[in-house]
């Protein structure tokens, strides 16, 4: 329509069959609206094509991400199936050996031989448990946070925990893309996680338990990101809580604790206006306590504990809210 209006106007000039006034009148009242209409339709078609291409690109990107996620899931499942198949194959032989040992034990009259057979059975069971624990450490795949730097740090913490016989699990219900792009830097988040996972490892080791557990959760509740580190180690000493974030204090210097972790944590939370919530559970299973970082913009320090009265008598701080768990 635009090109046609130009051709029509040009033809009016070259034919000289009508006066110039009539030509300009025609241009103003007929040709120009036609030209503008064509121009508008042309722009609309360009914009429409642009948005179609953008939507297609987004769809392709989403599809690609979905395929990558499914490939990772399939890879993880194949690894788990392979590990379970090896364990099943080995357990079949173990069960046959145990069956023969039990039969021999039942027919045995010598106390010395019986004690030897029982010891062999205990040895087989212990070796099996050690092999399974080793394979789990080697083949366990943690969920991805979607951020390579954080994934690498969490994998390193998993290795440290596993080396001490501590079960380490990670739950990611919301990938922290928005968190690291708008609230906290990747480096600060990495430091926050590593400091408190190390503290959890020290606390579990100090408890002297055989079934140590650490659980790290990254989630979003009502639009607010929350990161928590739970463990079944020893509780915080009341005096430690009273000086937390104000002094570089630790009760586990011999185990590698320095006390600098919480000093850095309070500084990070002040910058991000995040809140620190420490929860102590009266029921000590599966966890004794939780250290949570809630990025709610309120910059509060809350202690939720079953020993509220004991802590209130020790902690004399205006910046701490102590509530019953």
């Amino acid at each position: 329509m635009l090109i046609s209006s130009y051709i029509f106007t040009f033809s009016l000039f070259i034919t000289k069959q009508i006066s110039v006034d009539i030509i300009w009148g025609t241009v103003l009242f007929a040709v120009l609206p036609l030209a503008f209409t064509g121009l508008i339709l042309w722009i609309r078609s360009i914009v429409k094509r642009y948005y179609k291409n953008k939507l297609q690109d987004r769809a392709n990107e989403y599809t690609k991400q979905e395929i990558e996620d499914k490939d990772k899931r399939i890879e993880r499942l194949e690894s788990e199936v392979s590990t379970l198949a090896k364990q099943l194959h080995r357990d079949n032989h173990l069960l046959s050996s145990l069956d023969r040992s039990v039969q021999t034990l039942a027919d045995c009259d010598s106390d010395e031989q019986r004690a030897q057979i029982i010891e062999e059975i205990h040895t087989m069971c212990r070796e099996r448990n050690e092999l399974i624990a080793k394979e789990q450490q080697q083949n366990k795949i943690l969920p991805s946070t979607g951020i390579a730097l954080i994934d690498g740090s969490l994998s390193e913490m998993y290795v440290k925990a596993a080396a001490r016989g501590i079960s380490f699990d990670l739950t990611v219900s919301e990938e922290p893309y928005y968190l690291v792009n708008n609230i906290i830097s990747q480096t600060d988040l990495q430091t926050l996680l590593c400091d408190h996972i190390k503290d959890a490892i020290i606390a579990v080791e100090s408890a002297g338990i055989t079934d140590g557990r650490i659980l790290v959760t990254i989630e979003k509740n009502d639009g607010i990101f929350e990161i928590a580190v739970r463990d079944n180690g020893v509780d915080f000493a009341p005096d430690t809580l009273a000086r937390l974030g104000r002094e570089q204090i630790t009760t586990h210097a011999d185990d590698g604790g320095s006390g600098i972790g919480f000093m850095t944590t309070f500084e990070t939370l002040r910058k991000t206006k995040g809140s620190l919530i420490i929860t102590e559970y009266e029921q000590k299973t599966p966890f004794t306590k939780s250290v949570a970082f809630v990025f709610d913009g309120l910059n509060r320090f809350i202690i939720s504990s079953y020993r509220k009265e004991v802590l209130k008598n020790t902690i004399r701080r205006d910046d701490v809210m102590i509530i019953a768990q």
Side-chain angles (χ1 to χ4, degrees), residues 72 76 140-147 150-152 154-155 168-173 175 215-216 218:
K72 289 179 182 177
R76 183 167 61 249
K140 186 171 183 176
I141 300 175
L142 295 174
S144 175
T145 63
I147 302 171
I150 305 301
D151 287 347
L154 289 171
S155 295
F168 182 96
D169 289 297
L170 169 67
T171 301
V172 182
S173 60
E175 293 183 348
L215 172 64
V216 179
I218 301 174

Side-chain angles (χ1 to χ4, degrees), residues 154-202:
L154 289 171
S155 295
E156 182 183 353
M157 292 297 103
Y158 163 71
V159 172
K160 287 183 182 294
R164 292 162 173 79
I166 300 172
S167 172
F168 182 96
D169 289 297
L170 169 67
T171 301
V172 182
S173 60
E174 182 75 24
E175 293 183 348
Y177 284 119
Y178 180 85
L179 188 65
V180 299
N181 287 322
N182 297 275
I183 300 175
I184 185 172
S185 69
Q186 287 189 19
T187 303
D188 284 346
L189 180 58
Q190 178 197 28
T191 302
L192 198 68
L193 285 166
C194 291
D195 281 346
H196 292 282
I197 293 172
K198 287 177 183 176
D199 286 347
I201 291 173
I202 292 172

Side-chain angles (χ1 to χ4, degrees), residues 123-259:
T123 300
M124 282 191 290
C125 293
R126 185 175 64 253
E127 289 177 350
R128 175 190 180 273
N129 291 336
E130 289 175 355
L131 282 170
I132 289 176
K134 184 178 179 181
E135 287 175 353
Q136 287 177 341
Q137 292 174 14
Q138 292 174 344
N139 298 297
K140 186 171 183 176
I141 300 175
L142 295 174
S144 175
T145 63
I147 302 171
L149 177 69
I150 305 301
D151 287 347
S153 298
L154 289 171
S155 295
E156 182 183 353
M157 292 297 103
Y158 163 71
V159 172
K160 287 183 182 294
R164 292 162 173 79
I166 300 172
S167 172
F168 182 96
D169 289 297
L170 169 67
T171 301
V172 182
S173 60
E174 182 75 24
E175 293 183 348
Y177 284 119
Y178 180 85
L179 188 65
V180 299
N181 287 322
N182 297 275
I183 300 175
I184 185 172
S185 69
Q186 287 189 19
T187 303
D188 284 346
L189 180 58
Q190 178 197 28
T191 302
L192 198 68
L193 285 166
C194 291
D195 281 346
H196 292 282
I197 293 172
K198 287 177 183 176
D199 286 347
I201 291 173
I202 292 172
V204 172
E205 282 193 301
S206 299
I209 55 178
T210 57
D211 60 339
R213 295 190 188 92
I214 295 173
L215 172 64
V216 179
T217 58
I218 301 174
E219 57 188 349
K220 195 175 185 181
N221 297 315
D222 298 326
I224 298 173
F225 274 98
E226 178 178 327
I227 296 174
V229 179
R230 297 176 175 85
D231 67 73
N232 62 343
V234 294
D235 285 335
F236 289 107
D239 183 59
T240 300
L241 291 173
R243 293 188 281 171
L244 215 57
R246 291 185 169 179
E247 301 176 34
Q248 189 172 322
I249 180 173
T250 178
T251 55
H252 303 291
D254 295 337
D255 298 319
S258 65

